[in-house]
Amino acid sequence: MAVEGFVQTTEGGTVLLVPPDSLTSKVPPKTPAFFNPVARLSRDLSITAYRAYLPSLKSKTFADGFAGVGARALRVATEIPEIDAVYVNDINATAIGAAKQAAKLNLIEGRCHFSTNEVCKFLMQGTEEGDRFGIVDLDPFGTPARHIDCVLRGALGGGLVSVTATDTAVLCGIYPEVCLRRYYGRPLNNSYGNETAIRLMLSLIALTASRLELAIRPIFVHATMHYMRVYATVSVSSSQANVVYSNIGYVLHCFQCGHRIKVAEYEEKKCDLCGSLMRVGGQLWTGAVHDKEFVRRMVELDNGRQSKKVLEAAEEELGDIPYYFKADEISSKLRTNPHSVQKIIEKLRSSGFAASRTALNPGAFKTDARLDMILSTLK
Ligand SMILES: [Zn+2]
């Protein structure tokens, strides 16, 4: 059965069938099916992440609830032969038709299962044997918030969930009231808004998990202009669920001078540097966002130029500092020519501070130095 009007494209060694418009238009159309070639980096990184997680997987099964034409799911089946079964679901039958056809072209149809269910119904049904899935991926249009329960309930204990959010305007602070109702936390519309966004997502996933007697542990996160993406392991543990709040807190930001701090409890506080009232971001995840050993394994397995950069930054990132500083933000405060991120990191380290790159912004750095100390160090 040919899928009318669809064309072949190859990504990462996997043949995909996609609407021709999706390869040429700036914003890929949602009909007859959605495919975004620009999201390749996200898919490249997910292949590497799933490969790195293979040794920990009890059930080598993968489920994609919003599979579209199967860009991620078919790549998993083709590029990770160790995965026994790939469950490819999308409510759009045309998209699933294209995915089926492409599975044949890649000679993987024997390991692929296709369905056109509503996403939560799909995730609740589990595998053919009625088991939960080893890896559950959720990459919806817009917010993942309404599906987090199903994602967690669809994953096996010891399994992995990967979740994308594309409601970046909401998470980065353009619509704070929408963010509060979707993620139970306040965003910060500032220079590190995407990190606050990632941590708002993580806190929603962690708190939802705790309500289900589950615990999550983030092992890798990354973001671009257009999406945020998190990877977290899921374990069945009421004792770990009991301590979920040890990783939930707030970030206070001074919009007057740029000072920022992490606090455990909600508080209205005046800025230590300029005396203005600080704005509260959160509740949000304040714990580590990368598992160093896992990311190191990803670095070893990865062979993309762009993805390598993200991973190497993640490997050194001070992941439990919930904010970063942009190099140009610091330079403009110093009224100097832009400093390179690497130079800034070297100077801070030689003055005795911890400093690192961040996977969330190539033009930024993290440090345990306070803003005034950063400025005096770089002067
Ligand atoms: Zn201030």
Side-chain angles (χ1 to χ4, degrees):
M1 161 202 80
V3 185
E4 214 169 314
F6 280 44
V7 294
Q8 281 192 24
T9 185
T10 303
E11 186 182 287
T14 303
V15 177
L16 302 170
L17 287 171
V18 305
D21 286 356
S22 64
L23 299 175
T24 50
S25 18
K26 230 174 162 189
V27 180
K30 287 188 184 176
T31 53
F34 183 76
F35 171 69
N36 185 5
V38 176
R40 170 171 187 161
L41 173 66
S42 155
R43 292 188 287 268
D44 286 349
L45 282 166
S46 62
I47 296 296
T48 306
Y50 303 148
R51 285 177 65 206
Y53 198 71
L54 274 176
S56 312
L57 266 185
K58 275 184 249 162
S59 162
K60 298 201 171 14
T61 51
F62 173 85
D64 187 344
F66 288 111
V69 297
R72 181 175 275 114
L74 298 182
R75 285 194 60 185
V76 169
T78 308
E79 296 166 47
I80 318 180
E82 293 90 343
I83 298 283
D84 299 324
V86 170
Y87 292 82
V88 191
N89 180 75
D90 200 285
I91 197 129
N92 179 344
T94 307
I96 289 299
K100 261 187 197 167
Q101 187 74 16
K104 285 189 189 138
L105 297 174
N106 292 291
L107 308 175
I108 49 170
E109 71 266 35
R111 282 158 57 232
C112 293
H113 305 260
F114 297 92
S115 55
T116 54
N117 280 319
E118 187 278 325
V119 62
C120 282
K121 192 174 172 201
F122 161 72
L123 290 170
M124 291 299 92
Q125 275 172 347
T127 66
E128 305 255 289
E129 294 76 33
D131 286 338
R132 295 174 184 220
F133 302 106
I135 303 172
V136 177
D137 183 72
L138 191 82
D139 189 353
F141 293 114
T143 183
R146 67 174 76 102
H147 301 299
I148 296 301
D149 285 73
C150 307
V151 167
L152 291 166
R153 292 176 63 192
L156 265 178
L160 178 69
V161 297
S162 47
V163 179
T164 306
T166 56
D167 55 339
T168 52
V170 168
L171 277 164
C172 294
I174 312 293
Y175 308 107
E177 68 290 345
V178 180
C179 186
L180 185 58
R181 74 168 163 79
R182 279 186 189 162
Y183 296 93
Y184 305 147
R186 289 179 172 79
L188 289 171
N189 184 8
N190 62 10
S191 57
Y192 55 91
N194 71 349
E195 169 141 22
T196 306
I198 288 258
R199 290 174 179 280
L200 286 163
M201 272 176 85
L202 284 172
S203 101
L204 176 68
I205 299 171
L207 292 172
T208 305
S210 72
R211 176 159 50 70
L212 302 172
E213 312 280 320
L214 302 170
I216 63 140
R217 196 170 63 83
I219 54 174
F220 175 58
V221 303
H222 69 109
T224 67
M225 290 281 285
H226 306 291
Y227 62 84
M228 330 274 158
R229 188 157 163 85
V230 306
Y231 295 82
T233 63
V234 179
S235 49
V236 183
S237 169
S238 52
S239 61
Q240 279 182 57
N242 283 345
V243 294
V244 63
Y245 279 98
S246 62
N247 283 310
I248 305 285
Y250 298 85
V251 169
L252 306 187
H253 184 82
C254 175
F255 277 83
Q256 202 60 42
C257 76
H259 181 43
R260 58 208 72 175
I261 53 172
K262 153 172 132 177
V263 293
E265 302 290 337
Y266 182 94
E267 60 178 304
E268 294 194 358
K269 184 176 155 52
K270 290 206 168 128
C271 175
D272 288 328
L273 301 187
C274 79
S276 306
L277 188 64
M278 297 183 90
R279 194 84 62 78
V280 181
Q283 54 188 17
L284 45 71
W285 179 268
T286 51
V289 289
H290 307 298
D291 176 310
K292 297 286 156 157
E293 206 180 305
F294 178 76
V295 173
R296 202 166 303 136
R297 223 160 30 237
M298 283 183 74
V299 171
E300 282 163 17
L301 291 169
D302 190 79
N303 45 28
R305 197 176 51 87
Q306 240 189 322
S307 46
K308 202 89 170 182
K309 268 189 202 160
V310 174
L311 289 170
E312 284 171 353
E315 193 179 1
E316 71 169 53
E317 180 160 0
L318 300 167
D320 53 358
I321 294 179
Y323 47 75
Y324 56 75
F325 296 87
K326 277 170 73 177
D328 58 9
E329 176 188 358
I330 297 299
S331 302
S332 80
K333 280 190 194 299
L334 289 167
R335 298 176 196 282
T336 59
N337 292 329
H339 291 62
S340 80
V341 171
Q342 206 47 46
K343 265 271 158 55
I344 294 175
I345 290 172
E346 280 163 23
K347 279 201 166 170
L348 286 166
R349 283 181 181 162
S350 64
S351 302
F353 296 111
S356 76
R357 288 179 288 169
T358 165
L360 299 178
N361 188 331
F365 63 94
K366 286 194 170 181
T367 179
D368 58 354
R370 219 167 64 169
L371 177 62
D372 52 333
M373 299 164 185
I374 299 170
L375 296 176
S376 64
T377 304
L378 298 175
K379 215 169 241 169

